[in-house]
Amino acid sequence: MQIAANIIDFFAALIQIGTGAVKKKSRILILQIVQLLMQGVAMLLLGGVTGAVSNVLSCVRNYICYKEKLNLPWKLFFIIASIVMTVLLNDQGILGMIPAAVCIVYIIFMDVKDPIRFKLLVMITFIPWLFYHFILGSYTGAASDAATIVANIVTIIRMRKERKEPVNDR
C-alpha cells in the first residue's frame, strides 16, 4: 500500500509543485482541487483518514472560493465540519489534528485579495503538511511539500520585485 500511495502522491506532487509558480488565485484553487483529490486517496491508503477527509472538504471549499461564493457562513461550515470530522475519525492523536488545524487557518485567511499574501498563506500552511506527510510515510508528499514551499518563496520574491519595478512603456 505504501508504494501505491507514494506513486499516487508523486503525481499529486507534480501538480502541487506547479502551483508554486502560479500567480493567479483562481488557477491555484483549481489545480489544488485535482491535487487534493489525488493526495486524499494516497492518505487513505496510508491510514491518514483525517488528512483524506480534510482534503475532500478542501476540494469543496476551493470550488466555492473559486466561484467567489465563500462567505462567513461557508467558512463556519467548513471549520465546524473539519473539527467534527477530526473528532470523529482521528485515531492518530496530535498527528491526526494537523489537517484540521491547517484547514482552519487556511479557511480564515483564504479570501485575502492580495496575491502575495495569498501565496504566503499557501506556503505557510504547507509547513505542517510536510511533517504530517513525512510521519505518515508519504515521502513523496513530504518532498513535494518542501519543493512547494521553496517554489512559493521564489514566486513571492519575484512578485515583490515586480511590484517595486517601474513599468516601462517602451
Side-chain angles (χ1 to χ4, degrees):
M1 288 290 196
Q2 189 170 16
I3 293 172
N6 274 280
I7 291 170
I8 293 167
D9 219 2
F10 173 75
F11 288 108
L14 295 176
I15 296 168
Q16 178 180 308
I17 294 166
T19 64
V22 176
K23 296 176 185 175
K24 192 172 179 185
K25 182 177 179 178
S26 61
R27 288 190 184 141
I28 293 169
L29 292 170
I30 292 298
L31 289 169
Q32 279 182 348
I33 290 171
V34 175
Q35 172 256 320
L36 288 165
L37 285 173
M38 293 171 69
Q39 211 164 43
V41 170
M43 282 185 224
L44 274 179
L45 292 173
L46 292 169
V49 178
T50 59
V53 169
S54 177
N55 278 14
V56 171
L57 287 171
S58 295
C59 289
V60 178
R61 174 205 67 209
N62 281 11
Y63 179 75
I64 290 170
C65 186
Y66 173 76
K67 291 293 188 178
E68 297 185 7
K69 304 278 186 212
L70 188 67
N71 54 24
L72 184 59
W74 274 115
K75 283 184 166 191
L76 291 174
F77 168 79
F78 287 115
I79 289 170
I80 292 167
S82 183
I83 292 169
V84 168
M85 296 306 287
T86 298
V87 168
L88 293 175
L89 300 172
N90 185 16
D91 62 357
Q92 298 174 303
I94 292 175
L95 178 66
M97 290 189 263
I98 290 174
V102 172
C103 183
I104 291 166
V105 169
Y106 191 80
I107 288 168
I108 290 170
F109 297 106
M110 76 181 291
D111 54 356
V112 65
K113 301 295 182 206
D114 179 39
I116 292 175
R117 288 185 181 185
F118 183 72
K119 294 294 291 175
L120 187 61
L121 172 67
V122 170
M123 183 197 67
I124 288 170
T125 56
F126 265 97
I127 294 169
W129 278 112
L130 185 147
F131 294 105
Y132 182 82
H133 287 132
F134 185 78
I135 294 167
L136 198 63
S138 175
Y139 305 115
T140 54
S144 68
D145 292 339
T148 301
I149 292 164
V150 170
N152 276 286
I153 290 169
V154 169
T155 304
I156 289 167
I157 291 168
R158 287 182 181 158
M159 290 170 76
R160 289 189 62 154
K161 284 183 181 178
E162 288 173 6
R163 272 193 184 169
K164 292 180 182 178
E165 291 178 7
V167 177
N168 263 339
D169 291 326
R170 291 187 231 177

